[in-house]
Amino acid sequence: FVEGGSQEKSHVLLHITEPSTAEEEAKGYFFAICEIGHADNQYIMKIQNIIDEIEQKYYEFNGQGGKHPLEMILEKINQENFSLIENERYQLDCVVGIISEMKVVFSFHGEPRIMLFYQNKEGAYDKMDLVGNEKSCFFLVKRSSWAAASILPSFTRQAALS
């Protein structure tokens, strides 16, 4: 838990898991960053519990499917916690994801700012806004390109990182 600039208005949850076993290391580093506006401690704790549950289920996941394991877990979490996540009393801008080898897989809710900084083919550094105007999406970012498969809205986008 990290305090935001104004404790009465905003709180930031920062969660990064360093894998502790070879099996976890193969699955990558789990991260979550959430800014919660106008929330009480009870709501903040509920969001923290959801993040903990996503992490636990991700590292315990052993199933197969056509989707990324994180996407399947998030679909279930969304169904179970829809009223909490979509509560208009609170501002929730959240990113959860996995960093593994040369790829980043993440999903977001709300309006977080997510910028990808990378070195292009000419050697110069560039940046890409990964969110744009979307409200919730699931992304797979690889070194050479990125694509999105939606959790909530119907959305697909591709761009080269060159």
Side-chain angles (χ1 to χ4, degrees):
F1 174 77
V2 179
E3 280 189 31
S6 175
Q7 190 175 14
E8 298 79 33
K9 295 181 182 178
S10 177
H11 294 276
V12 176
L13 299 175
L14 174 63
H15 185 108
I16 302 172
T17 301
E18 184 172 351
S20 58
T21 66
E23 183 179 275
E24 286 180 358
E25 194 168 321
K27 291 184 176 189
Y29 292 77
F30 175 84
F31 68 90
I33 305 167
C34 297
E35 183 175 12
I36 307 167
H38 310 290
D40 54 30
N41 286 340
Q42 183 179 4
Y43 184 80
I44 293 167
M45 291 305 296
K46 286 180 181 179
I47 298 299
Q48 180 63 59
N49 290 339
I50 290 171
I51 292 169
D52 292 342
E53 182 180 358
I54 295 167
E55 175 197 359
Q56 178 186 359
K57 287 182 177 185
Y58 177 73
Y59 284 118
E60 290 175 352
F61 186 84
N62 290 320
Q64 297 291 325
K67 299 178 183 178
H68 190 277
L70 183 62
E71 184 175 8
M72 292 188 289
I73 291 163
L74 291 174
E75 285 176 347
K76 186 167 176 49
I77 294 288
N78 284 345
Q79 292 169 358
E80 294 170 353
N81 298 285
F82 183 78
S83 62
L84 179 69
I85 294 169
E86 293 298 323
N87 189 328
E88 291 184 11
R89 248 179 57 190
Y90 309 111
Q91 169 87 28
L92 178 61
D93 300 318
C94 194
V95 179
V96 297
I98 304 297
I99 300 171
S100 177
E101 297 176 11
M102 295 301 293
K103 64 183 174 184
V104 176
V105 178
F106 70 95
S107 181
F108 70 92
H109 175 82
E111 299 178 16
R113 292 183 184 170
I114 307 172
M115 303 297 289
L116 175 66
F117 294 91
Y118 63 96
Q119 191 172 16
N120 64 26
K121 290 179 181 176
E122 290 78 34
Y125 288 93
D126 230 333
K127 66 180 178 179
M128 180 185 297
D129 181 357
L130 296 179
V131 176
N133 295 324
E134 302 305 318
K135 295 289 184 184
S136 294
C137 285
F138 182 81
F139 291 88
L140 170 62
V141 181
K142 294 183 179 178
R143 183 175 185 162
S144 61
S145 66
W146 67 278
S150 169
I151 290 179
L152 296 176
S154 177
F155 170 81
T156 302
R157 205 188 310 187
Q158 293 185 9
L161 295 179
S162 55

